[in-house]
Amino acid sequence: MSTPLSGPESATRTPGREPAGSPPPRPRASRSRDDAPITVAGLAGKVLLLGLTAGIAVWAAFPLIAAEMWTGLALLAASTVGLFYLYLTRRHVPAKYLVPGTLFLIAFQVFPVLYTASTAFTNFGDGHRGSKDDAVVAIQTSSVTQVPGSAEYALSIATKGDPATGPLVFLVTDPGTGAVSVGDTAGLRQLDAADVTVATGGKVTAADGYTVLTFGQASARSKEITDLVVPTAGGAVRSSGLSRAYEGKAVRAYEAGCDCVRDTETGRTWTADEEAGAFVAADGERLAQGWKVNVGLNNFTRVLTDENISGPFLGTLVWNFAFAIGSTGGTFLLGTLIALVLHSPRMRGTNFYRVLLVLPYAMPSFAMLLAWRDMFNADFGLINSLFGLDVDWFGQEWTARFAVILVQLWLGYPYMFLVATGALQAIPRELTEATSVDGASPWQSFRAVTLPLLLVALSPLLISSFAFNFNNFNAIYLTTEGAPFAADNPANGATDLLITYTYRLAFGGQGAQFGFAAAISLFIFAIVAVVSAISFRRTRKQEEVYG
C-alpha cells in the first residue's frame, strides 16, 4: 500500500492524479484590475483631483451659508462625501467612470435648462435683480442730493485692476481727521495710513491694491463716476467733478409703516406692489428699482395676449420655419449634388476641387456675414455693381429674405458637401452596379438606392442642422438686423427669426427682461423639440426599411 505524499514530495504531485480522499484543489484567485497596485502617478492624480473637489466644495459652501440655503449646502456636502467614498474605495468600479460624465451632464445641460425654466416664471431683469431690501437701498442712494452742511472730501478715482475696465472706487480724505477711506457700492472702509500716499490738499496719489486714475483716464469713465453712489450711515457719498465728493442726504426714504417710499421734498408716495415687485404710485408710475418676485404664468400669457407681441409672433414663426427649411434643404441639395459630381470615377482633380469647395466652411462665419452685408449694399455693394442692378436688397421684404437664405446657402453647403461625400464613400459600389446590370438608368439607381441610403445616414445631421438654423441668431443679426421694419412696428422686422425677435423684445429700449426672454425661449424649445421628435421617429422607420 502506498502512503500519501507529504512535505516536499507533494510538490511533485501530478495534476489530475491526486490521492483518493484528498480535498479538491483550490482554484487560484485571479487578481482583478482594481486589486492591481496603484502607481505613484495614479496616487498623485487621485490626491490632486480629490483635493480639487474638496476645494471647490469649500468655495461653494460659503455663498450657500451666507444665503442660508441649507438644502443646497446639505446636497453639496452629501455629494462631496459620496465622491470621496466612491474614489477612496475599491468598490463600484462602473460608477467611477459614469459619475464624472453624469456630473458634467447635470452641470452643463440639465442645470442651465432648469434655471432658464425657473427664470421664466419670474420678473428677473433690469431693476428686478435683487431682494426688496436691495431695492430700498438703491432707491435711497440714487436720490441722494447735496444739502447745506453736507460734508465734503478730497476725491481720487481708482480701480481694482485695469484702469479702463476695472471696477471703480472712490478714495476720499476726511478734511478734519485726514483719514483716507475707500468706497464702492458696498460702503466706505477706512484704509491704513501706511498703505496710502496723500498729497497736499488731501488728494490720494497712491494706494496699495488700487490703481489711481489720471485725469484723462477718469474723464473717459466720467459717466460711471457720476453714477457711482457709496452708501453711508447718514446718506451716501457722490462725486462732484473728478476731485471733490460730498456726503448728501437721501430725498426718498422707505417707511415701514405704510410699506412705501416717500419723497421728502414733494410728498409723493410709491406703495409696494408685492405681485409686481415694484413701488407704484397712485397714478401707476413705477420706480425703476424693484425686486425679483414670482409672477407665475404672466410672461407666457403676455406672449399670447399682448396684441403688440402675439400679432407679429405668428408671422415670424411662419418665416422662421421657411428660413430653417430653406437653409437646411438648400444646403443639403447643393452639397449633395456637388458630392455626387466629385464622387464619379470619371472626375479628375477631385482633391483640388474639394479644397476649393470647403473654403467658405473654413472662413469665420461672422466675418463672412459682414462681408455679404456689404456686398448686398444698395449704393456701393458688389452684387448691384457686378450685375448692373438697382435693387434695395435689405429695404424690401422678399429681397431681404432671399438675400439671407442665399447667404446661408453659401455658408452651409460645404458642410453638407463634406458629410455627403463621406456617406457616399460608405455606400458599396456593388449596389449601384447591380441596378445598372438590371437595366436601371442612373437617375433610377440614385432614387432607389443612393438617395435612401444617404438619407438614412444624414437624417440626424439634417435634423440638427434644422434646429441650428431655426435659432440662427448670427445669420440674421449680422446681415439685416431683422430689417426691413414696418412703419407701425419697429420691434419686428421682415427677416426676424423668433430668436432675434425675442432678443429685441427682451433686451430692447426698456432694459433687459430675462424672465420674459426665458419664457419665449421655452416656446422656441418646445417647437424645436416637437419637430425633432417627429423627424427622429420618421428616421427610425426609414432605418428599419433600409438598415
Side-chain angles (χ1 to χ4, degrees), residues 115-117 119-121 300 502 506 513-523:
Y115 181 77
T116 301
T119 304
F121 295 92
F300 298 92
T502 301
Q513 303 177 60
F514 294 107
F516 183 57
I520 304 182
S521 297
L522 291 182
F523 274 113

Side-chain angles (χ1 to χ4, degrees), residues 159-189:
T159 63
K160 296 178 180 179
D162 185 19
T165 60
L168 291 173
V169 297
F170 288 166
L171 297 174
V172 295
T173 305
D174 191 316
T177 63
V180 177
S181 300
V182 58
D184 53 21
T185 54
L188 279 176
R189 301 178 302 280

Side-chain angles (χ1 to χ4, degrees), residues 55-134:
I56 293 175
V58 172
W59 169 78
F62 285 104
L64 294 174
I65 294 173
E68 298 184 355
M69 299 178 65
W70 308 121
T71 302
L73 183 64
L75 289 175
L76 177 66
S79 301
T80 306
V81 171
L83 287 173
F84 270 77
Y85 168 76
L86 177 63
Y87 289 100
L88 289 178
T89 63
R90 295 180 178 272
R91 300 178 179 179
H92 314 295
V93 175
K96 296 179 190 293
Y97 297 94
L98 293 175
V99 165
T102 304
L103 292 177
F104 276 105
L105 178 65
I106 294 174
F108 295 104
Q109 293 289 341
V110 178
F111 177 76
V113 171
L114 293 178
Y115 181 77
T116 301
S118 65
T119 304
F121 295 92
T122 69
N123 65 342
F124 181 57
D126 286 349
H128 300 273
R129 295 175 180 265
S131 64
K132 186 177 180 179
D133 292 338
D134 296 332

Side-chain angles (χ1 to χ4, degrees), residues 126 501-518:
D126 286 349
Y501 184 40
T502 301
Y503 178 81
R504 191 173 294 107
L505 288 174
F507 307 104
Q510 297 181 351
Q513 303 177 60
F514 294 107
F516 183 57

Side-chain angles (χ1 to χ4, degrees), residues 156-482:
S156 295
I157 311 298
T159 63
K160 296 178 180 179
D162 185 19
T165 60
L168 291 173
V169 297
F170 288 166
L171 297 174
V172 295
T173 305
D174 191 316
T177 63
V180 177
S181 300
V182 58
D184 53 21
T185 54
L188 279 176
R189 301 178 302 280
Q190 187 170 337
L191 297 178
D192 193 330
D195 295 334
V196 296
T197 302
V198 183
T200 304
K203 191 173 180 64
V204 177
T205 57
D208 288 352
Y210 301 95
T211 302
V212 178
L213 303 187
T214 64
F215 182 81
Q217 292 171 333
S219 297
R221 305 183 65 177
S222 58
K223 186 179 185 307
E224 297 176 68
I225 295 171
T226 303
D227 294 339
L228 179 58
V229 180
V230 179
T232 62
V237 174
R238 304 191 71 164
S239 65
S240 177
L242 299 178
S243 60
R244 304 295 296 175
Y246 65 89
E247 183 177 6
K249 302 296 182 181
V251 175
R252 294 175 179 175
Y254 175 74
E255 297 181 4
C258 63
D259 194 15
C260 64
V261 172
R262 193 182 305 279
D263 192 309
T264 58
E265 291 184 347
T266 64
R268 188 173 176 81
T269 301
W270 294 266
T271 305
D273 184 344
E274 296 294 343
E275 293 184 359
F279 289 99
V280 185
D283 59 359
E285 180 195 5
R286 294 189 180 191
L287 294 179
Q289 296 87 354
W291 59 97
K292 181 180 176 181
V293 295
N294 192 331
V295 296
L297 298 174
N298 287 357
N299 288 325
F300 298 92
T301 57
R302 179 183 171 190
V303 177
L304 302 175
T305 59
D306 189 337
E307 294 181 357
N308 295 326
I309 298 174
S310 60
F313 193 86
L314 180 59
T316 303
L317 176 61
V318 173
W319 156 242
N320 206 146
F321 271 105
F323 173 80
I325 294 172
S327 299
T328 305
T331 54
F332 171 71
L333 292 176
L334 182 58
T336 303
L337 178 62
I338 298 174
L340 286 170
V341 172
L342 296 183
H343 187 65
S344 173
R346 295 176 294 178
M347 191 70 182
R348 296 293 180 267
T350 55
N351 290 336
F352 172 74
Y353 291 117
R354 285 169 180 165
V355 171
L356 291 180
L357 290 169
V358 298
L359 282 179
Y361 189 60
M363 303 292 284
S365 61
F366 77 92
M368 292 296 97
L369 289 169
L370 295 176
W372 274 98
R373 183 179 68 179
D374 289 339
M375 286 193 289
F376 277 112
N377 187 278
D379 299 321
F380 52 81
L382 176 64
I383 293 178
N384 278 356
S385 301
L386 185 63
F387 296 101
L389 302 175
D390 185 20
V391 179
D392 185 5
W393 291 97
F394 296 152
Q396 304 173 49
E397 178 178 344
W398 292 106
T399 55
R401 290 176 173 178
F402 172 78
V404 294
I405 290 181
L406 181 62
V407 173
Q408 279 304 104
L409 180 64
W410 186 84
L411 286 174
Y413 84 86
Y415 171 74
M416 290 298 178
F417 162 72
L418 290 174
V419 296
T421 298
L424 286 172
Q425 292 176 349
I427 298 175
R429 290 188 179 272
E430 292 79 3
L431 296 178
T432 54
E433 292 174 355
T435 58
S436 300
V437 171
D438 291 339
S441 65
W443 166 248
Q444 292 174 327
S445 176
F446 171 76
R447 188 179 62 180
V449 177
T450 306
L451 182 60
L453 293 176
L454 269 179
L455 291 177
V456 169
L458 301 185
S459 289
L461 296 175
L462 291 174
I463 296 171
S464 62
S465 180
F466 171 84
F468 173 80
N469 285 316
F470 198 87
N471 293 304
N472 198 337
F473 181 87
N474 288 346
I476 302 300
Y477 207 77
L478 294 179
T479 50
T480 66
E481 297 184 1

